[in-house]
Amino acid sequence: MTDTATAPALGVTKPSTKPARPFFSSGPCAKPPGWDASKLATDSLGRSHRSKIGKQRLQYSIDLMRALLNLPDTHRIGIVPGSDTGAFEMAMWTMLGARPVTTLAWESFGEGWVTDAVKQLKIDPTVIRADYGQLPDLTQVDWSTDVLFTWNGTTSGVRVPNADWIPADREGLSFADATSGVFAYDIDWAKIDVATFSWQKVLGGEGAHGVLILGPRAVERLESYTPAWPLPKVFRLVSKGKLTEGVFKGETINTPSMLAVEDVIVSLEWAKSLGDRGLIGRSDANAAALDRIVAERDWLGHLAADPATRSKTSVCLTVEGADEAFIKAMAGALEKEGAAYDVAGYRDAPPGLRIWCGATVDTADIEALGPWLDWAYATAKAAA
């Protein structure tokens, strides 16, 4: 790459102020402001997760998540293995097959659920697709089927606008992969039968653990339907025809990392200290700050054209004339300077930048990023 001295030749000098926390990865995401490992409680470490303290801490994390999500008592919440992927596949393997299935795909992870349904479960779903940056026509969805969708497309920067398109009198179940959406948006839980997420997104927690939310209609499906395919032990949510309630009271299916649990408790307690809608407000402010940066630059754009369906967390940007090598050069220059880490778009997405704007990022750091994007663009352009 050309040395940074080439940037001034294009009228751009290296900024003097860097983001204080240049962590813009879309997963694992930035830790909460002020996070420090010394803040983690350690009494549960080295203890069984089935000990009194282990169960208490797991249940406490569930209680905090319920409160922050305004999750009604009708919905159960459990910690499961395998991050969001494990949680969503657990839902697919245990509940699909009872009725026809519709899958919506407009980015990489949605396509992953299509692959699972077609090649692994062999259920021949109806697939409704859209290109990166677009949202499928939601009016095409047949709600007599079970419907799988991504609330917020982490790799495309496209989200559903709300839950208004989901009918209250639906016959099928709604399955929402909400890993980049929960805590950053208002979610109408009456419209959601199954939701999954991981701690590593808006909460800035650690990976490996997933969270599974089940509404009453999902529980009814689990207790009344037995899939035709074998279920691995880590997917089994039913015993003798009844939901294994312990999973939703901190009695995890397999051994969790209590260090990860203590870490997410720190994040959840920080989130609670922000007050009602605190996480949503921070995400909104960050997305608005990045939108101003984009609006001020002719060479920068949003991959998601429609603001009504544009992500406020994993914001995907287009760069005029950029190919994969150009984006790699930009991201590499920013990382080398310690100005921004992990901002290249997802490998399967069109070449571009992806800036995480979730609640654990400070708005001042988004604002400080703008001049650095100018500098990285000019540096990469001079080297091209």
Side-chain angles (χ1 to χ4, degrees), residues 11-53:
V12 180
T13 57
K14 186 189 297 184
S16 58
T17 302
K18 297 178 184 178
R21 294 191 303 137
F23 305 108
F24 301 108
S25 164
S26 289
C29 300
K31 308 300 285 186
W35 181 92
D36 189 274
S38 65
K39 294 182 179 180
L40 274 61
T42 58
D43 290 350
S44 68
L45 305 188
R47 298 293 306 276
S48 168
H49 61 295
R50 302 196 187 283
S51 66
K52 183 178 180 180
I53 188 173

Side-chain angles (χ1 to χ4, degrees), residues 151-380:
W151 189 279
N152 184 105
T154 309
T155 67
S156 70
V158 176
R159 62 179 172 89
V160 294
N162 47 50
D164 292 352
W165 60 286
I166 304 174
D169 61 350
R170 61 194 176 279
E171 297 175 44
L173 300 181
S174 58
F175 291 72
D177 171 358
T179 196
S180 295
V182 290
F183 302 107
Y185 303 99
D186 288 312
I187 294 179
D188 182 355
W189 292 106
K191 300 291 187 69
I192 303 301
D193 299 307
V194 180
T196 65
F197 65 92
S198 70
W199 295 333
Q200 63 173 309
K201 299 294 185 180
V202 179
L203 292 174
E206 294 303 298
H209 298 78
V211 176
L212 176 66
I213 296 176
L214 299 179
R217 300 177 73 247
V219 174
E220 181 183 10
R221 172 71 63 82
L222 283 165
E223 294 183 338
S224 63
Y225 166 68
T226 301
W229 42 79
L231 290 178
K233 180 180 179 180
V234 292
F235 282 4
R236 297 173 198 163
L237 294 169
V238 173
S239 177
K240 298 179 181 179
K242 292 294 182 181
L243 187 73
T244 306
E245 293 286 359
V247 173
F248 305 94
K249 297 177 181 178
E251 298 174 13
T252 55
I253 293 173
N254 70 334
T255 305
S257 164
M258 294 308 299
L259 186 62
V261 172
E262 294 297 349
D263 178 74
V264 80
I265 285 174
V266 169
S267 293
L268 290 162
E269 289 178 335
W270 166 76
K272 183 179 179 181
S273 75
L274 299 176
D276 187 42
R277 297 179 61 82
L279 294 176
I280 294 174
R282 285 179 63 91
S283 294
D284 286 351
N286 289 338
L290 185 56
D291 193 49
R292 290 192 293 270
I293 290 171
V294 174
E296 293 166 357
R297 289 156 176 82
D298 293 338
W299 57 270
L300 198 57
H302 284 285
L303 181 60
D306 183 358
T309 58
R310 182 181 298 154
S311 173
K312 295 185 291 184
T313 54
S314 53
V315 184
C316 297
L317 305 178
T318 60
V319 176
E320 185 179 58
D323 57 13
E324 186 176 349
F326 191 93
I327 295 300
K328 185 177 180 180
M330 283 189 69
L334 291 166
E335 181 168 347
K336 183 178 180 181
E337 293 293 331
Y341 298 136
D342 312 316
V343 296
Y346 191 71
R347 60 182 180 270
D348 293 335
L353 301 174
R354 181 172 58 162
I355 313 297
W356 182 255
C357 290
T360 56
V361 174
D362 289 317
T363 303
D365 288 334
I366 296 287
E367 293 169 339
L369 181 61
W372 281 99
L373 293 178
D374 292 331
W375 170 83
Y377 177 72
T379 299

